[in-house]
């Protein structure tokens, strides 16, 4: 057990959902006769759910500050529709139409942020009103008719990395190069972290846990590179997935390495204490809500590019999947807790559930029931694990509680 903790760290709870995700993929692959783990299905899995995962990034930040945004699906649909109308009816260049759609998202975010930050109205009420406004506005401006999207957007919504050079490895060279960069980054990050820890402590950490983490990370990335790079001709790692990866890296850095990120967690943990510490609570609320609508606009435009048209029902119930992704990823209902990486795991859980149940022929009605049960189970699991005076389920599974009981507390040893 100590060796496992050396490799994975002391907080094994964060790996629980990763293990559950892997188990779910394996289960659906067996149940579907091998249809889950295929290049085409994984490409569609990532490409078809990238917009929800992008929404989940912003929703994580909103939930961490103790708010909620119910308007993201309607805002995404409205921005996508405005973009399509600007291109088709107002003769905007496609890039100007996209900028207009993104600008509308920013303005909506400023609207929501004003009511939450300046007027003190809870995000639930504010965004419930915005959800009604922009859902009606989508139907109003579209006259309940779909509007074709610019053909240039199809590459952003459903494109793949291009092929180039000779295929010596039998894989798409762009995907192969992306995988090599990812492996190099993992090796660099692990060695750098190990060097920093040894600089700060007199007791030097051994190198073997770092080597094991590098081997595990390299193995996972290598397998995914092969999976995405060996699909049918003309396919490779999807462009929506690449956009998602870039956003994950950016927002992980923002939430973990910047002052604004620290302010988000401080406000979510204790708003009054954060204010006394010099944090501008109103500014944090405003910028977080604005960012959420900005990402909603991006998600809506990407979806329109994938579907090649903006429809009056685009964005319906997207907020539910985004919120579920955040909570399944371990975010606290009360705010102050949650990470981008864990949210992505939660989002992939929802995506795998959708894909796996579809492969098994389960109807949309039963799929919704199952997804609801999974969400409730994930939240109950998180609440139980964080209840004072209880040993977490994760520790029970890893037999850590018995080891701790044997060691005893310092007071017990003195007695």
């Amino acid at each position: 057990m100590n060796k496992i903790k050396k490799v994975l760290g002391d907080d094994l709870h964060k790996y629980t959902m990763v293990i559950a995700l892997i188990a779910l993929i394996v289960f659906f692959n067996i149940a579907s006769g091998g249809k889950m783990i295929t290049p085409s299905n994984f490409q569609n899995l990532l490409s078809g759910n990238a917009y929800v995962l992008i929404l989940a990034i912003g929703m994580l930040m909103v939930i961490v500050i103790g708010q909620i945004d119910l308007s993201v699906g309607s805002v995404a649909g409205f921005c996508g529709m405005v973009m399509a109308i600007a291109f088709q009816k107002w003769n905007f260049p496609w890039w100007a139409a996209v900028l207009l759609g993104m600008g509308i998202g920013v303005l909506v975010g400023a609207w929501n942020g004003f009511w939450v930050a300046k007027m003190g109205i809870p995000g639930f009420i504010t965004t419930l009103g915005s959800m009604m406004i922009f859902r009606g506005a989508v139907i109003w401006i579209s006259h309940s008719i779909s509007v074709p999207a610019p053909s240039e957007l199809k590459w952003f919504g459903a494109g793949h990395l291009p092929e180039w050079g000779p295929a010596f490895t039998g894989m798409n060279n762009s995907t192969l190069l992306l995988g090599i960069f990812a492996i190099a980054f993992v090796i660099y990050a692990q060695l750098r972290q190990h060097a920093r820890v040894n600089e700060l402590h007199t007791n030097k950490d051994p190198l073997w846990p770092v080597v094991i983490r590098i081997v595990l990370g390299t193995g996972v990335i290598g397998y995914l590179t092969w999976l995405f790079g060996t699909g049918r001709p003309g396919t490779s790692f999807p462009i929506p997935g690449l956009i998602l990866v870039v956003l994950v890296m950016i927002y992980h850095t923002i939430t973990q390495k910047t002052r604004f990120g620290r302010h988000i967690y401080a406000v979510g943990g204790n708003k009054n204490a954060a204010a006394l510490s010099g944090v501008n609570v109103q500014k944090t609320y405003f910028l977080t809500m604005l960012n959420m609508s900005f990402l909603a606009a991006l998600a809506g435009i990407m979806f329109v590019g994938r579907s090649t048209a903006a429809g009056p029902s685009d964005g319906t119930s997207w907020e539910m999947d985004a919120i579920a992704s955040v909570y399944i990823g371990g975010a606290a209902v009360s705010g102050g807790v949650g990470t981008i990486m864990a949210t992505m795991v939660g989002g992939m859980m929802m995506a795998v559930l959708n894909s796996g149940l579809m492969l098994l022929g389960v109807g949309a009605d039963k799929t919704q029931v199952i997804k609801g049960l999974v969400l409730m189970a994930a939240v109950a699991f998180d609440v139980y694990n964080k209840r004072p005076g209880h040993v977490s389920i994760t520790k029970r599974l890893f037999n850590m509680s018995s080891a701790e009981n044997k060691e005893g507390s310092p007071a017990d040893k003195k007695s």
Side-chain angles (χ1 to χ4, degrees):
M1 185 52 58
N2 289 332
K3 292 182 178 180
I4 294 177
K5 291 177 66 176
K6 280 282 188 182
V7 175
L8 300 180
D10 292 331
D11 187 12
L12 296 177
H13 170 67
K14 62 184 179 181
Y15 294 101
T16 305
M17 283 302 158
V18 176
I19 296 172
L21 175 61
I22 295 172
L24 195 64
I25 292 174
V26 172
F27 168 76
F28 280 127
N29 191 59
I30 295 173
S32 64
K35 296 179 181 178
M36 170 60 76
I37 306 179
T38 63
S40 60
N41 190 61
F42 262 62
Q43 289 168 3
N44 291 331
L45 191 69
L46 188 56
S47 181
N49 292 278
Y51 62 94
V52 173
L53 293 173
I54 288 173
L55 289 178
I57 293 173
M59 190 65 71
L60 180 272
M61 299 170 71
V62 172
I63 288 175
V64 165
I65 63 172
Q67 300 292 338
I68 199 77
D69 193 335
L70 300 178
S71 68
V72 293
S74 299
V75 172
F78 180 74
C79 293
M81 182 59 72
V82 169
M83 182 272 301
I85 290 176
F87 176 75
Q88 287 292 333
K89 299 182 178 180
W90 302 341
N91 298 319
F92 276 43
W94 72 269
W95 55 268
V98 169
L99 289 179
L100 176 63
M102 297 298 297
I104 294 292
V106 172
L107 291 176
V108 173
W111 164 267
N112 288 337
F114 169 78
W115 292 105
V116 174
K118 299 297 182 182
M119 303 303 294
I121 299 177
F124 179 86
I125 302 300
T126 297
T127 59
L128 179 62
S130 293
M131 179 180 71
M132 296 176 181
I133 292 170
F134 293 106
R135 177 50 55 196
V138 173
I139 299 172
W140 186 5
I141 65 174
S142 67
H143 304 290
S144 299
I145 299 173
S146 295
V147 179
S151 58
E152 290 85 354
L153 285 183
K154 187 174 182 180
W155 186 77
F156 293 97
H160 297 84
L161 292 178
E163 180 60 86
W164 50 270
F168 291 121
T169 62
M171 289 193 294
N172 176 276
N173 287 330
S174 295
T175 303
L176 177 61
L177 187 61
L178 182 65
I180 292 173
F181 281 146
I183 290 173
F185 176 78
V186 167
I187 295 173
Y188 169 76
Q190 288 296 325
L191 293 177
R192 184 182 180 186
Q193 181 182 7
H194 177 72
R196 284 185 173 181
V197 170
N198 283 342
E199 287 178 1
L200 298 174
H201 297 86
T202 55
N203 295 329
K204 304 297 183 182
D205 283 351
L207 187 60
W208 65 265
V210 179
V211 174
I212 293 178
R213 286 196 293 269
I214 289 175
V215 170
L216 290 175
T218 300
V220 171
I221 295 172
Y223 179 73
L224 291 176
T225 301
W226 174 84
L227 194 63
F228 281 107
T230 56
R232 67 182 186 276
T235 65
S236 59
F237 194 82
I239 297 300
L242 183 61
I243 295 173
L244 175 64
V245 169
V246 172
L247 289 174
V248 167
M249 294 174 65
I250 291 172
Y251 280 92
H252 175 74
T253 302
I254 290 174
T255 55
Q256 302 297 320
K257 306 292 185 182
T258 67
R259 177 183 296 180
F260 177 60
R262 290 191 292 271
H263 287 180
I264 289 174
Y265 286 96
V267 170
N270 190 319
K271 179 176 67 175
N272 296 327
L276 292 174
S277 300
V279 176
N280 190 330
V281 176
Q282 289 187 351
K283 181 179 179 181
T284 303
Y285 279 161
F286 181 83
L287 292 178
T288 303
M289 300 302 293
L290 186 148
N291 174 74
M292 178 71 263
S293 293
F294 167 78
L295 291 177
L298 176 60
I301 291 171
M302 287 176 58
F303 179 81
V304 169
R306 176 177 172 81
S307 58
T308 69
S313 62
D314 289 353
T316 303
S317 297
W318 288 7
E319 60 275 357
M320 296 297 106
D321 282 339
I323 293 170
S325 299
V326 175
Y327 285 132
I328 291 174
V333 178
S334 57
V337 177
T339 65
I340 297 293
M341 295 303 181
T343 296
M344 291 300 99
V345 174
M348 288 306 299
M349 286 277 290
M350 299 295 290
V352 169
L353 271 174
N354 285 330
S355 177
L357 293 172
M358 183 180 65
L359 289 174
L360 296 180
V362 179
D365 49 354
K366 295 179 182 178
T367 298
Q368 288 296 104
V369 172
I370 294 172
K371 287 164 63 177
L373 292 173
V374 169
L375 173 61
M376 294 177 65
V379 173
F381 178 87
D382 183 67
V383 170
Y384 179 87
N385 274 351
K386 294 173 182 175
R387 186 179 300 172
H390 286 262
V391 178
S392 70
I393 297 174
T394 308
K395 288 187 177 181
R396 293 180 188 275
L397 292 175
F398 282 95
N399 295 321
M400 293 175 62
S401 59
S402 59
E404 292 175 354
N405 291 332
K406 288 180 182 179
E407 291 177 2
S409 64
D412 294 334
K413 292 179 181 179
K414 290 181 181 179
S415 61

